[in-house]
Amino acid sequence: MESILSILVLVTLIFSITYVIRQRRNQGITGLRSALTSICFFLIAVVNLLAYWFDLLGIWSWGASVILLLLGAYFTKYLRIIES
């Protein structure tokens, strides 16, 4: 059961990364600053998946997740405002 969930997380992560890259390319958004929020959120998934695989669940993975979440929230100020 655990391997099925890990595979599901990996497939979803790969799909969402390609989707974000494709959407940024279609909208003409360039630069690293506007991508930092997405990168931090993707890194949260990677950190938690690696912590699960290597049995490192605990304060270190929790702390890394919280720090990445705060960084992702901080970098939202660099997101481009889309006017409709």
Side-chain angles (χ1 to χ4, degrees):
M1 183 66 162
E2 293 87 15
S3 61
I4 293 172
L5 292 175
S6 295
I7 292 170
L8 184 64
V9 168
L10 275 177
V11 169
T12 306
L13 185 64
I14 291 169
F15 174 75
S16 62
I17 290 172
T18 56
Y19 180 77
V20 167
I21 291 172
R22 189 173 300 142
Q23 289 297 319
R24 286 177 55 85
R25 193 174 296 147
N26 287 343
Q27 294 178 5
I29 301 173
T30 57
L32 184 64
R33 278 196 213 174
S34 62
L36 286 174
T37 299
S38 299
I39 291 170
C40 287
F41 290 153
F42 290 139
L43 283 176
I44 290 172
V46 170
V47 164
N48 286 320
L49 192 60
L50 289 175
Y52 178 73
W53 282 346
F54 297 115
D55 199 28
L56 298 173
L57 297 172
I59 192 70
W60 297 108
S61 64
W62 183 83
S65 296
V66 168
I67 289 171
L68 286 169
L69 182 65
L70 292 174
L71 283 173
Y74 174 75
F75 290 131
T76 56
K77 70 179 185 178
Y78 297 118
L79 291 177
R80 190 171 117 185
I81 299 173
I82 299 173
E83 297 177 11
S84 43

